[in-house]
Amino acid sequence: MLLKNLWWGKKSLRGGVAAATVSGLLLLAACGGDSGTSAPSDNGASDSEKIQSSSSSQKHSSSSQKSSSSSNLKTVSSSSNQSSSSSEENDDGWSWDVPKEARLNPEIDYGSMTDPRDGQIYKTVKIGDQIWMAENLNYADSVKTPSLMGKNWCYANKAENCAVTGRLYTWTAAIDSVKLATDADNPQDCGSGKECTLPDTVQGICPPGWHLPEKKEWDTLLTKVGGEATALNVLKSQTGWFRQGNGSDDVGFSALPAGDRIDNGNFFDIGKLAGFWSASETDYNYAKALDLGYCSNYAVLGYYNKSFGFSVRCLKD
């Protein structure tokens, strides 16, 4: 996706210098300029920017500029999908009035699973040899799971929104850092500002029998659906994306543009972005996440600040 490098706080983060601006520096850009970027690599360029710089159809944008081109939009939903959704969605493509079930691909034979912790039922889908949740996790019991305390949100802090797009979690919550720290056999002090040796499989906040996918498992999914360029179209839901940037949802993953929350408490990108945490960290401040944008050319496994709020999709053990 088009990512804008708003790294004017780079020195503060890399050098450890305290700055009031640090908390809101890294925003996920959803092609319209409303939000920002993944963290840069050691040479100052993010993974996504390297993809962008190699594409003849995209150009870098400064933090003060907005992309004005819509020529790269992939309008992949059928005309029937567009016409049927036009009465229920606003001009931005997204509407909170559309239930999550209506976003699923009606041509897919979904399975289902019940989370024994709270009784919530989720659709599931088999893609290759993997079985994925086809909906975003909406688990929030911070008594049973203390890692969630103050680290998960409904979009715009409206409880009813969680019933549509699930919750947004920090990476520390997603890996269930408290459970890792209290593991009698292999205690790990993990989370934001900390780096640790994670177990091979991290259940995280996923239901029993499921786990938070690590990077190589996301890579397996992307490969199965044809690679980063093809995956963007295949994994996105058929409706709900800004400027008709909908997907074909061929395999039933039905990625909703649930947006994100940054560490200053602001929410961005509803209708424009889907971000999914992995169980793989990059360093003490950053972890890997799958990033799908409304007018991107690629599905990006970039690295992002652990304090951001992203969606969680669980993978069956």
Side-chain angles (χ1 to χ4, degrees):
M1 68 190 292
L2 274 175
L3 296 178
K4 301 175 184 174
N5 192 345
L6 303 182
W7 194 245
W8 31 269
K10 176 180 179 182
K11 183 176 180 180
S12 298
L13 284 175
R14 295 287 182 181
V17 180
T21 57
V22 167
S23 65
L25 295 179
L26 303 177
L27 313 178
L28 286 173
C31 251
D34 288 346
S35 52
T37 84
S38 63
S41 60
D42 290 340
N43 64 6
S46 71
D47 293 342
S48 300
E49 287 172 331
K50 291 175 184 176
I51 293 172
Q52 181 181 353
S53 64
S54 67
S55 171
S56 60
S57 63
Q58 298 178 346
K59 296 181 179 179
H60 286 292
S61 299
S62 71
S63 60
S64 63
Q65 293 176 325
K66 294 186 176 182
S67 171
S68 60
S69 172
S70 60
S71 60
N72 291 328
L73 289 177
K74 292 190 175 183
T75 306
V76 293
S77 60
S78 66
S79 58
S80 61
N81 281 335
Q82 294 173 13
S83 61
S84 65
S85 64
S86 62
S87 62
E88 61 191 18
E89 298 177 349
N90 58 29
D91 292 339
D92 288 343
W94 181 258
S95 170
W96 288 108
D97 295 329
V98 179
K100 62 181 181 179
E101 294 81 8
R103 303 291 188 189
L104 297 170
N105 184 345
E107 302 300 320
I108 298 293
D109 183 17
Y110 291 96
S112 66
M113 59 84 67
T114 301
D115 189 336
R117 301 170 298 180
D118 59 10
Q120 292 198 62
I121 300 173
Y122 298 91
K123 295 294 186 182
T124 64
V125 64
K126 185 174 183 181
I127 305 173
D129 293 328
Q130 297 176 318
I131 298 178
W132 290 86
M133 285 175 50
E135 303 175 46
N136 296 342
L137 187 66
N138 183 24
Y139 175 66
D141 191 334
S142 59
V143 175
K144 293 179 181 177
T145 311
S147 299
L148 295 172
M149 184 69 70
K151 294 179 173 63
N152 75 101
W153 305 270
C154 298
Y155 194 91
N157 292 320
K158 294 182 178 180
E160 62 270 24
N161 290 347
C162 277
V164 182
T165 58
R167 292 181 174 269
L168 300 173
Y169 302 92
T170 67
W171 186 78
T172 302
I175 63 169
D176 197 354
S177 60
V178 173
K179 183 178 180 180
L180 290 172
T182 57
D183 187 310
D185 298 323
N186 184 31
Q188 293 288 332
D189 187 13
C190 306
S192 184
K194 302 172 183 178
E195 189 172 2
C196 72
T197 303
L198 290 163
D200 291 338
T201 299
V202 178
Q203 179 182 343
I205 55 171
C206 293
W210 297 73
H211 64 274
L212 187 67
E214 59 180 331
K215 177 186 179 296
K216 69 180 182 180
E217 292 174 314
W218 282 115
D219 284 334
T220 297
L221 174 65
L222 297 183
T223 299
K224 182 63 181 179
V225 298
E228 291 180 336
T230 302
L232 184 74
N233 171 32
V234 173
L235 297 180
K236 291 197 297 183
S237 59
Q238 294 179 344
T239 63
W241 288 81
F242 183 66
R243 291 183 181 171
Q244 299 179 344
N246 299 313
S248 62
D249 196 18
D250 291 334
V251 294
F253 189 82
S254 300
L256 297 180
D260 57 285
R261 181 190 185 273
I262 63 171
D263 54 6
N264 68 0
N266 289 330
F267 297 86
F268 290 93
D269 301 327
I270 188 66
K272 298 180 180 180
L273 174 116
F276 302 101
W277 281 124
S278 79
S280 303
E281 64 182 344
T282 302
D283 59 27
Y284 58 91
N285 271 332
Y286 304 106
K288 289 285 185 178
L290 180 67
D291 176 1
L292 309 176
Y294 78 93
C295 66
S296 306
N297 284 338
Y298 297 89
V300 176
L301 266 168
Y303 51 105
Y304 303 94
N305 195 299
K306 293 176 178 178
S307 62
F308 283 4
F310 285 160
S311 301
V312 164
R313 287 289 181 97
C314 299
L315 182 62
K316 190 174 178 61
D317 294 348

mmCIF file of all heavy atoms in Angstrom, residues 211-238:
data_model
loop_
_atom_site.group_PDB
_atom_site.id
_atom_site.type_symbol
_atom_site.label_atom_id
_atom_site.label_comp_id
_atom_site.label_asym_id
_atom_site.label_seq_id
_atom_site.Cartn_x
_atom_site.Cartn_y
_atom_site.Cartn_z
ATOM 1 N N HIS A 211 -4.410 -20.231 17.530
ATOM 2 C CA HIS A 211 -3.246 -19.442 17.928
ATOM 3 C C HIS A 211 -3.089 -18.210 17.045
ATOM 4 O O HIS A 211 -3.701 -18.108 15.975
ATOM 5 C CB HIS A 211 -1.971 -20.290 17.890
ATOM 6 C CG HIS A 211 -1.595 -20.792 16.525
ATOM 7 N ND1 HIS A 211 -2.108 -21.965 15.996
ATOM 8 C CD2 HIS A 211 -0.756 -20.297 15.582
ATOM 9 C CE1 HIS A 211 -1.601 -22.175 14.791
ATOM 10 N NE2 HIS A 211 -0.770 -21.165 14.508
ATOM 11 N N LEU A 212 -2.265 -17.293 17.531
ATOM 12 C CA LEU A 212 -1.941 -16.089 16.771
ATOM 13 C C LEU A 212 -0.910 -16.471 15.709
ATOM 14 O O LEU A 212 0.164 -16.975 16.040
ATOM 15 C CB LEU A 212 -1.366 -15.020 17.704
ATOM 16 C CG LEU A 212 -1.119 -13.629 17.106
ATOM 17 C CD1 LEU A 212 -2.441 -12.948 16.749
ATOM 18 C CD2 LEU A 212 -0.323 -12.764 18.090
ATOM 19 N N PRO A 213 -1.210 -16.280 14.424
ATOM 20 C CA PRO A 213 -0.291 -16.740 13.378
ATOM 21 C C PRO A 213 1.022 -15.975 13.390
ATOM 22 O O PRO A 213 1.045 -14.754 13.585
ATOM 23 C CB PRO A 213 -1.073 -16.479 12.078
ATOM 24 C CG PRO A 213 -2.068 -15.427 12.434
ATOM 25 C CD PRO A 213 -2.420 -15.660 13.867
ATOM 26 N N GLU A 214 2.112 -16.693 13.203
ATOM 27 C CA GLU A 214 3.399 -16.020 13.072
ATOM 28 C C GLU A 214 3.625 -15.644 11.610
ATOM 29 O O GLU A 214 2.846 -16.027 10.724
ATOM 30 C CB GLU A 214 4.522 -16.899 13.606
ATOM 31 C CG GLU A 214 4.669 -18.238 12.923
ATOM 32 C CD GLU A 214 5.808 -19.041 13.532
ATOM 33 O OE1 GLU A 214 6.770 -18.426 14.028
ATOM 34 O OE2 GLU A 214 5.735 -20.275 13.521
ATOM 35 N N LYS A 215 4.688 -14.918 11.359
ATOM 36 C CA LYS A 215 4.932 -14.389 10.020
ATOM 37 C C LYS A 215 4.938 -15.480 8.958
ATOM 38 O O LYS A 215 4.335 -15.317 7.889
ATOM 39 C CB LYS A 215 6.261 -13.626 9.980
ATOM 40 C CG LYS A 215 6.620 -13.098 8.595
ATOM 41 C CD LYS A 215 7.988 -12.478 8.553
ATOM 42 C CE LYS A 215 8.332 -11.991 7.150
ATOM 43 N NZ LYS A 215 8.418 -13.104 6.163
ATOM 44 N N LYS A 216 5.621 -16.603 9.225
ATOM 45 C CA LYS A 216 5.724 -17.627 8.183
ATOM 46 C C LYS A 216 4.365 -18.235 7.855
ATOM 47 O O LYS A 216 4.148 -18.712 6.730
ATOM 48 C CB LYS A 216 6.720 -18.701 8.590
ATOM 49 C CG LYS A 216 6.319 -19.587 9.742
ATOM 50 C CD LYS A 216 7.411 -20.621 10.031
ATOM 51 C CE LYS A 216 7.024 -21.561 11.162
ATOM 52 N NZ LYS A 216 8.087 -22.558 11.440
ATOM 53 N N GLU A 217 3.434 -18.197 8.812
ATOM 54 C CA GLU A 217 2.093 -18.710 8.538
ATOM 55 C C GLU A 217 1.289 -17.721 7.698
ATOM 56 O O GLU A 217 0.482 -18.131 6.850
ATOM 57 C CB GLU A 217 1.387 -19.033 9.849
ATOM 58 C CG GLU A 217 2.022 -20.222 10.560
ATOM 59 C CD GLU A 217 1.450 -20.480 11.939
ATOM 60 O OE1 GLU A 217 1.301 -19.504 12.715
ATOM 61 O OE2 GLU A 217 1.155 -21.648 12.247
ATOM 62 N N TRP A 218 1.501 -16.435 7.911
ATOM 63 C CA TRP A 218 0.916 -15.447 6.999
ATOM 64 C C TRP A 218 1.530 -15.596 5.610
ATOM 65 O O TRP A 218 0.830 -15.495 4.590
ATOM 66 C CB TRP A 218 1.153 -14.028 7.521
ATOM 67 C CG TRP A 218 0.250 -13.603 8.631
ATOM 68 C CD1 TRP A 218 0.592 -13.314 9.919
ATOM 69 C CD2 TRP A 218 -1.172 -13.366 8.557
ATOM 70 N NE1 TRP A 218 -0.513 -12.930 10.647
ATOM 71 C CE2 TRP A 218 -1.605 -12.951 9.833
ATOM 72 C CE3 TRP A 218 -2.110 -13.471 7.534
ATOM 73 C CZ2 TRP A 218 -2.937 -12.640 10.115
ATOM 74 C CZ3 TRP A 218 -3.440 -13.161 7.803
ATOM 75 C CH2 TRP A 218 -3.835 -12.756 9.079
ATOM 76 N N ASP A 219 2.839 -15.842 5.556
ATOM 77 C CA ASP A 219 3.493 -16.040 4.262
ATOM 78 C C ASP A 219 2.888 -17.233 3.522
ATOM 79 O O ASP A 219 2.706 -17.192 2.300
ATOM 80 C CB ASP A 219 4.995 -16.278 4.459
ATOM 81 C CG ASP A 219 5.765 -15.014 4.788
ATOM 82 O OD1 ASP A 219 5.305 -13.924 4.403
ATOM 83 O OD2 ASP A 219 6.826 -15.120 5.435
ATOM 84 N N THR A 220 2.585 -18.293 4.261
ATOM 85 C CA THR A 220 1.960 -19.472 3.652
ATOM 86 C C THR A 220 0.615 -19.100 3.031
ATOM 87 O O THR A 220 0.297 -19.531 1.912
ATOM 88 C CB THR A 220 1.756 -20.583 4.702
ATOM 89 O OG1 THR A 220 3.031 -21.012 5.189
ATOM 90 C CG2 THR A 220 1.008 -21.769 4.124
ATOM 91 N N LEU A 221 -0.170 -18.303 3.742
ATOM 92 C CA LEU A 221 -1.459 -17.863 3.203
ATOM 93 C C LEU A 221 -1.267 -17.031 1.941
ATOM 94 O O LEU A 221 -1.956 -17.256 0.926
ATOM 95 C CB LEU A 221 -2.210 -17.048 4.260
ATOM 96 C CG LEU A 221 -3.519 -16.407 3.792
ATOM 97 C CD1 LEU A 221 -4.547 -17.474 3.427
ATOM 98 C CD2 LEU A 221 -4.078 -15.466 4.861
ATOM 99 N N LEU A 222 -0.340 -16.074 1.985
ATOM 100 C CA LEU A 222 -0.116 -15.211 0.817
ATOM 101 C C LEU A 222 0.331 -16.031 -0.377
ATOM 102 O O LEU A 222 -0.115 -15.789 -1.509
ATOM 103 C CB LEU A 222 0.916 -14.133 1.150
ATOM 104 C CG LEU A 222 0.551 -13.134 2.250
ATOM 105 C CD1 LEU A 222 1.648 -12.088 2.408
ATOM 106 C CD2 LEU A 222 -0.787 -12.453 1.960
ATOM 107 N N THR A 223 1.206 -16.989 -0.147
ATOM 108 C CA THR A 223 1.667 -17.846 -1.241
ATOM 109 C C THR A 223 0.515 -18.656 -1.826
ATOM 110 O O THR A 223 0.399 -18.804 -3.054
ATOM 111 C CB THR A 223 2.767 -18.794 -0.745
ATOM 112 O OG1 THR A 223 3.876 -18.027 -0.272
ATOM 113 C CG2 THR A 223 3.240 -19.728 -1.856
ATOM 114 N N LYS A 224 -0.356 -19.175 -0.960
ATOM 115 C CA LYS A 224 -1.476 -19.998 -1.415
ATOM 116 C C LYS A 224 -2.409 -19.221 -2.325
ATOM 117 O O LYS A 224 -2.990 -19.792 -3.266
ATOM 118 C CB LYS A 224 -2.249 -20.536 -0.208
ATOM 119 C CG LYS A 224 -3.408 -21.447 -0.569
ATOM 120 C CD LYS A 224 -2.936 -22.695 -1.278
ATOM 121 C CE LYS A 224 -4.097 -23.599 -1.660
ATOM 122 N NZ LYS A 224 -3.633 -24.812 -2.389
ATOM 123 N N VAL A 225 -2.573 -17.927 -2.090
ATOM 124 C CA VAL A 225 -3.498 -17.137 -2.904
ATOM 125 C C VAL A 225 -2.783 -16.368 -4.019
ATOM 126 O O VAL A 225 -3.355 -15.463 -4.616
ATOM 127 C CB VAL A 225 -4.333 -16.173 -2.031
ATOM 128 C CG1 VAL A 225 -5.188 -16.963 -1.053
ATOM 129 C CG2 VAL A 225 -3.452 -15.176 -1.280
ATOM 130 N N GLY A 226 -1.517 -16.729 -4.293
ATOM 131 C CA GLY A 226 -0.854 -16.186 -5.478
ATOM 132 C C GLY A 226 0.206 -15.144 -5.233
ATOM 133 O O GLY A 226 0.717 -14.564 -6.195
ATOM 134 N N GLY A 227 0.556 -14.877 -3.981
ATOM 135 C CA GLY A 227 1.595 -13.889 -3.701
ATOM 136 C C GLY A 227 1.032 -12.545 -3.282
ATOM 137 O O GLY A 227 -0.182 -12.330 -3.264
ATOM 138 N N GLU A 228 1.926 -11.623 -2.919
ATOM 139 C CA GLU A 228 1.532 -10.341 -2.330
ATOM 140 C C GLU A 228 0.607 -9.521 -3.225
ATOM 141 O O GLU A 228 -0.330 -8.894 -2.747
ATOM 142 C CB GLU A 228 2.773 -9.517 -1.991
ATOM 143 C CG GLU A 228 3.592 -10.076 -0.839
ATOM 144 C CD GLU A 228 4.811 -9.234 -0.536
ATOM 145 O OE1 GLU A 228 5.282 -8.515 -1.453
ATOM 146 O OE2 GLU A 228 5.299 -9.275 0.600
ATOM 147 N N ALA A 229 0.878 -9.495 -4.527
ATOM 148 C CA ALA A 229 0.071 -8.673 -5.427
ATOM 149 C C ALA A 229 -1.336 -9.240 -5.588
ATOM 150 O O ALA A 229 -2.331 -8.521 -5.532
ATOM 151 C CB ALA A 229 0.755 -8.559 -6.792
ATOM 152 N N THR A 230 -1.438 -10.559 -5.764
ATOM 153 C CA THR A 230 -2.734 -11.200 -5.927
ATOM 154 C C THR A 230 -3.512 -11.224 -4.625
ATOM 155 O O THR A 230 -4.736 -11.063 -4.610
ATOM 156 C CB THR A 230 -2.552 -12.639 -6.446
ATOM 157 O OG1 THR A 230 -1.832 -12.604 -7.684
ATOM 158 C CG2 THR A 230 -3.893 -13.318 -6.655
ATOM 159 N N ALA A 231 -2.803 -11.429 -3.526
ATOM 160 C CA ALA A 231 -3.454 -11.584 -2.222
ATOM 161 C C ALA A 231 -4.294 -10.376 -1.841
ATOM 162 O O ALA A 231 -5.330 -10.512 -1.178
ATOM 163 C CB ALA A 231 -2.400 -11.835 -1.140
ATOM 164 N N LEU A 232 -3.866 -9.193 -2.218
ATOM 165 C CA LEU A 232 -4.607 -7.987 -1.858
ATOM 166 C C LEU A 232 -6.058 -8.079 -2.312
ATOM 167 O O LEU A 232 -6.987 -7.776 -1.556
ATOM 168 C CB LEU A 232 -3.942 -6.759 -2.474
ATOM 169 C CG LEU A 232 -4.590 -5.441 -2.083
ATOM 170 C CD1 LEU A 232 -4.244 -5.082 -0.650
ATOM 171 C CD2 LEU A 232 -4.167 -4.336 -3.026
ATOM 172 N N ASN A 233 -6.261 -8.519 -3.544
ATOM 173 C CA ASN A 233 -7.601 -8.648 -4.096
ATOM 174 C C ASN A 233 -8.341 -9.841 -3.489
ATOM 175 O O ASN A 233 -9.489 -9.737 -3.067
ATOM 176 C CB ASN A 233 -7.507 -8.803 -5.618
ATOM 177 C CG ASN A 233 -8.821 -9.168 -6.266
ATOM 178 O OD1 ASN A 233 -9.885 -8.774 -5.799
ATOM 179 N ND2 ASN A 233 -8.749 -9.930 -7.342
ATOM 180 N N VAL A 234 -7.643 -10.961 -3.398
ATOM 181 C CA VAL A 234 -8.279 -12.216 -2.996
ATOM 182 C C VAL A 234 -8.747 -12.193 -1.545
ATOM 183 O O VAL A 234 -9.788 -12.761 -1.207
ATOM 184 C CB VAL A 234 -7.313 -13.395 -3.227
ATOM 185 C CG1 VAL A 234 -7.879 -14.689 -2.660
ATOM 186 C CG2 VAL A 234 -7.028 -13.562 -4.722
ATOM 187 N N LEU A 235 -8.015 -11.516 -0.661
ATOM 188 C CA LEU A 235 -8.327 -11.576 0.765
ATOM 189 C C LEU A 235 -9.334 -10.532 1.223
ATOM 190 O O LEU A 235 -9.981 -10.703 2.254
ATOM 191 C CB LEU A 235 -7.036 -11.418 1.579
ATOM 192 C CG LEU A 235 -5.982 -12.510 1.387
ATOM 193 C CD1 LEU A 235 -4.762 -12.218 2.259
ATOM 194 C CD2 LEU A 235 -6.539 -13.889 1.696
ATOM 195 N N LYS A 236 -9.497 -9.453 0.485
ATOM 196 C CA LYS A 236 -10.404 -8.381 0.915
ATOM 197 C C LYS A 236 -11.870 -8.755 0.693
ATOM 198 O O LYS A 236 -12.217 -9.452 -0.253
ATOM 199 C CB LYS A 236 -10.087 -7.078 0.180
ATOM 200 C CG LYS A 236 -8.765 -6.462 0.590
ATOM 201 C CD LYS A 236 -8.642 -5.008 0.184
ATOM 202 C CE LYS A 236 -8.680 -4.785 -1.292
ATOM 203 N NZ LYS A 236 -8.477 -3.367 -1.651
ATOM 204 N N SER A 237 -12.729 -8.248 1.574
ATOM 205 C CA SER A 237 -14.168 -8.475 1.437
ATOM 206 C C SER A 237 -14.696 -7.820 0.166
ATOM 207 O O SER A 237 -14.093 -6.887 -0.382
ATOM 208 C CB SER A 237 -14.909 -7.926 2.660
ATOM 209 O OG SER A 237 -14.660 -6.540 2.817
ATOM 210 N N GLN A 238 -15.854 -8.275 -0.289
ATOM 211 C CA GLN A 238 -16.409 -7.798 -1.556
ATOM 212 C C GLN A 238 -17.078 -6.441 -1.432
ATOM 213 O O GLN A 238 -17.369 -5.799 -2.445
ATOM 214 C CB GLN A 238 -17.418 -8.828 -2.081
ATOM 215 C CG GLN A 238 -16.787 -10.147 -2.478
ATOM 216 C CD GLN A 238 -17.806 -11.163 -2.967
ATOM 217 O OE1 GLN A 238 -19.010 -11.015 -2.758
ATOM 218 N NE2 GLN A 238 -17.328 -12.214 -3.615
#
